[in-house]
Amino acid sequence: MDPVTLSDDRLILRPMRPSDAGHVLAGWQDETVRRWTEVPAEPTLRQARAFVEVVCAQGWQDATNLIFAAELKRTGEFVGSLGVFGLSWAGLSEQLAWVGYWTAAGQRGRGHTSAALRMMSAWAFGALGVDRLEAVVEVGNDASLACAERAGYVLEGTHRARTVQNGSRRDAWVAALLPQDLDRPSSVPYPCAAPGPPHPAGQWPARTGPGAG
C-alpha cells in the first residue's frame, strides 16, 4: 500500500521520515511512555532509525501496520505518532483492526492526539475496508482511555490478561469505534489525556500508551 498523508485545519498526519528518528527516541525514553508501552529496554538512535526507515516503511509496503507521524499544520512541530495495526488476513477477514498512539511530552494536554486519532479512524473506515477499530488500554492508564473516548471510542469492558507489559500479562480496557460512532459527539471534556508509541507486532508491540492528547 502506498503511504498516504491526511490533514485537517490543525494537523497533518504523514508517513514517518528519517528526520523523525530523534522524536521517536525521545518518546521511547519518556518515563510515561515506558510505563504503559513496550519499547526497547535501552533505546538508541540506531534503533529509532531502524524503526522509522525499515519497520514503518515495511508496514506500509505490506499493508499490515500503517504508522503516521502527526505534526502541527501551522508550525510543523512534531506532535506524536499513531497507527492502524493488525491488518493481516485474519484481521481483515473480520474487518477489524486496532489503533496505537503516543504524544510528545511538550504537546500533551492540547487535544492534538484525540483529534489525530479521530481523523485517522475516519480514514481507516473509508480506505481500509474495516468496520471496527479497537483501542486496547492497560487498566489504570486513564490518560490513554480518555484520549480514545474523546475521539469517539466507546469503552466496552475489561479483558483479563489482554495485553503484555514488561513480560507479564495485564488486564486491559477495550474501547471500540464503529463508523456510526463518528456521528456522535464526544462526551469526554477537553483536555483529555493521551497515549503511547505504536510499534508493529513482532517488533515493539503496538498498544495505546501515555501522554496527554
Side-chain angles (χ1 to χ4, degrees):
M1 180 175 185
D2 291 332
V4 302
T5 297
L6 311 173
S7 66
D8 61 11
D9 58 355
R10 188 203 313 198
L11 297 165
I12 295 173
L13 307 185
R14 56 165 176 77
M16 284 279 189
R17 54 194 182 207
S19 59
D20 293 320
H23 300 303
V24 171
L25 178 61
W28 287 352
Q29 294 171 330
D30 186 291
E31 288 304 315
T32 305
V33 172
R34 297 181 67 82
R35 166 60 185 88
W36 300 109
T37 306
E38 292 249 351
V39 300
E42 297 181 2
T44 65
L45 185 58
R46 181 177 181 179
Q47 288 174 310
R49 286 173 175 158
F51 174 73
V52 169
E53 298 176 22
V54 179
V55 175
C56 293
Q58 192 68 45
W60 281 98
Q61 182 176 321
D62 296 342
T64 53
N65 301 300
L66 311 181
I67 300 172
F68 294 90
E71 64 180 36
L72 295 180
K73 192 170 190 177
R74 184 173 61 86
T75 65
E77 294 174 79
F78 183 88
V79 169
S81 182
L82 65 164
V84 181
F85 301 91
L87 294 167
S88 64
W89 68 268
L92 289 178
S93 69
E94 298 182 0
Q95 296 177 282
L96 168 69
W98 70 89
V99 296
Y101 44 98
W102 63 278
T103 311
Q107 299 293 340
R108 295 171 184 166
R110 304 179 185 182
H112 297 327
T113 298
S114 54
L117 178 58
R118 190 173 179 89
M119 176 168 37
M120 181 187 71
S121 299
W123 167 78
F125 288 137
L128 303 179
V130 299
D131 56 22
R132 177 181 169 88
L133 293 169
E134 294 181 347
V136 180
V137 180
E138 184 180 335
V139 170
N141 191 354
D142 300 307
S144 183
L145 179 61
C147 187
E149 290 183 316
R150 181 170 172 79
Y153 284 69
V154 177
L155 178 62
E156 296 182 336
T158 302
H159 290 201
R160 297 178 300 158
R162 175 62 175 81
T163 190
V164 177
Q165 175 72 358
N166 295 327
S168 65
R169 285 210 163 270
R170 312 286 179 88
D171 294 348
W173 293 315
V174 175
L177 186 74
L178 306 179
Q180 58 265 35
D181 295 330
L182 293 173
D183 298 326
R184 177 178 52 82
S186 170
S187 61
V188 179
Y190 174 88
C192 78
H199 306 300
Q203 300 291 332
W204 301 296
R207 294 194 311 284
T208 53

